[in-house]
Amino acid sequence: GWICMTEKLFDSRLATFDENYQRILEQIAWAAERSGRSLDEITLLAATKTVPVEVINYGISKGLCCLGENRVQELLDKYGVLDKTRCDLQFIGQLQTNKVKYLVDKVSCIQSVDSVKLAKEIDRLSQKNGKIMKVLVEVNIGGEENKGGVAPDALLEFVDEIRALPGLHVQGLMAIPPICSDKKDLFRYFSLMEQYYVDIKGKSMDNVDMDCLSMGMSSDFAEAIECGATMVRVGSSLFGARG
Ligand SMILES: *Cc1c(COP(=O)(O)O)cnc(C)c1O
């Protein structure tokens, strides 16, 4: 189970969280200010993979209001104990079609939709559950071979195809850019994402609302905010390095 820490270790993890959380909120505020954006257009999603549920619940008690899990099994293990009443739970990892059934009644948004097959299964099971699932389309912005995401040149067609599915609602885009040694490359990827986001928004397509641009992680969330991110997904700099 997830209850496997000594009391002392637990206390030190909470203290680390408190420090990190304050710092990240400040960094988000600075990045918003630098780019002339309003703080309330930016959501901090806590990426909680490998983080014990007790630590997550502490974070929720301190104000975290949006969580993202990566692995279906881990989400299921934590789900019963997680303080869900005050927190929005989303799925951010790669998702196999045959696992959608475990998530459909548990998360508010699936951020990693990158195939029609996956979208159709989300649609089918959401309809069966009497809900409309919010989804983000994951974009393989760096064109990397071993990464999930729709290729940028197929993006518009993909959005147009899945928006016909009544059990889901396309709410925005998500990306994980390649690791960049040069910040210029990073800015180029983030700016491209913003361009796609704005372009699609401008088309005012039925069943598509571009109101979430999910990009930026621990190492680059400030840059992502400067390029228009409305959601940053932060894990290790919030909870400490993953063991
Ligand atoms: C782990 C993860 C994050 C957070 O990564 P950190 O570098 O720890 O902040 C964000 N998004 C996804 C999809 C992840 O898997």
Side-chain angles (χ1 to χ4, degrees):
W2 295 94
I3 306 167
C4 55
M5 287 183 291
T6 65
E7 206 168 308
K8 207 167 155 194
L9 183 59
F10 184 60
D11 288 345
S12 91
R13 282 204 73 161
L14 302 193
T16 304
F17 172 84
D18 284 334
E19 271 174 41
N20 291 346
Y21 187 38
Q22 282 318 307
R23 191 187 64 248
I24 285 164
L25 291 178
E26 280 168 21
Q27 288 169 338
I28 289 174
W30 290 335
E33 195 177 311
R34 271 204 301 282
S35 41
R37 301 185 55 204
S38 150
L39 200 49
D40 49 51
E41 13 172 312
I42 299 154
T43 301
L44 169 62
L45 174 141
T48 48
K49 58 175 173 272
T50 76
V51 181
V53 70
E54 294 79 6
V55 177
I56 302 172
N57 281 344
Y58 176 78
I60 295 171
S61 79
K62 291 292 175 156
L64 287 182
C65 55
C66 186
L67 306 181
E69 279 287 343
N70 281 70
R71 295 181 190 91
V72 173
Q73 189 56 56
E74 188 175 337
L75 184 147
L76 296 177
D77 288 344
K78 292 172 178 176
Y79 189 77
V81 191
L82 202 60
D83 182 3
K84 298 173 290 283
T85 53
R86 288 182 290 169
C87 200
D88 179 36
L89 180 59
Q90 308 200 4
F91 193 77
I92 62 176
Q94 288 211 32
L95 181 56
Q96 290 169 285
T97 304
N98 63 355
K99 302 237 169 107
V100 174
K101 59 176 176 279
Y102 301 114
L103 293 184
V104 81
D105 60 337
K106 298 187 181 64
V107 301
S108 67
C109 178
I110 296 175
Q111 297 206 4
S112 45
V113 174
D114 63 354
S115 77
V116 172
K117 187 173 163 225
L118 177 60
K120 282 186 169 162
E121 181 67 351
I122 294 170
D123 170 57
R124 185 181 75 82
L125 291 170
S126 297
Q127 289 201 58
K128 210 169 137 188
N129 273 263
K131 78 182 265 184
I132 296 173
M133 181 69 79
K134 292 180 198 165
V135 302
L136 305 185
V137 173
E138 183 173 352
V139 182
N140 187 349
I141 191 63
E144 293 171 284
E145 252 177 46
N146 297 316
K147 226 179 219 174
V150 176
D153 62 5
L155 177 59
L156 188 57
E157 201 180 327
F158 181 77
V159 169
D160 196 38
E161 185 167 0
I162 68 167
R163 78 189 177 91
L165 302 169
L168 59 77
H169 181 72
V170 182
Q171 218 203 343
L173 304 177
M174 185 270 246
I176 308 170
I179 295 166
C180 297
S181 51
D182 188 340
K183 288 270 179 201
K184 261 191 284 181
D185 294 326
L186 187 63
F187 275 107
R188 190 165 49 83
Y189 290 126
F190 284 151
S191 304
L192 268 174
M193 282 301 299
E194 187 186 33
Q195 207 175 305
Y196 296 135
Y197 177 76
V198 169
D199 283 353
I200 296 172
K201 198 189 194 93
K203 296 191 188 301
S204 304
M205 297 188 273
D206 281 346
N207 203 25
V208 178
D209 270 318
M210 286 287 131
D211 55 33
C212 184
L213 178 56
S214 172
M215 59 185 192
M217 317 201 299
S218 286
S219 60
D220 55 15
F221 65 86
E223 290 86 349
I225 289 169
E226 290 181 48
C227 296
T230 70
M231 175 178 281
V232 292
R233 307 177 311 267
V234 181
S236 49
S237 22
L238 195 51
F239 297 106
R242 287 180 288 273

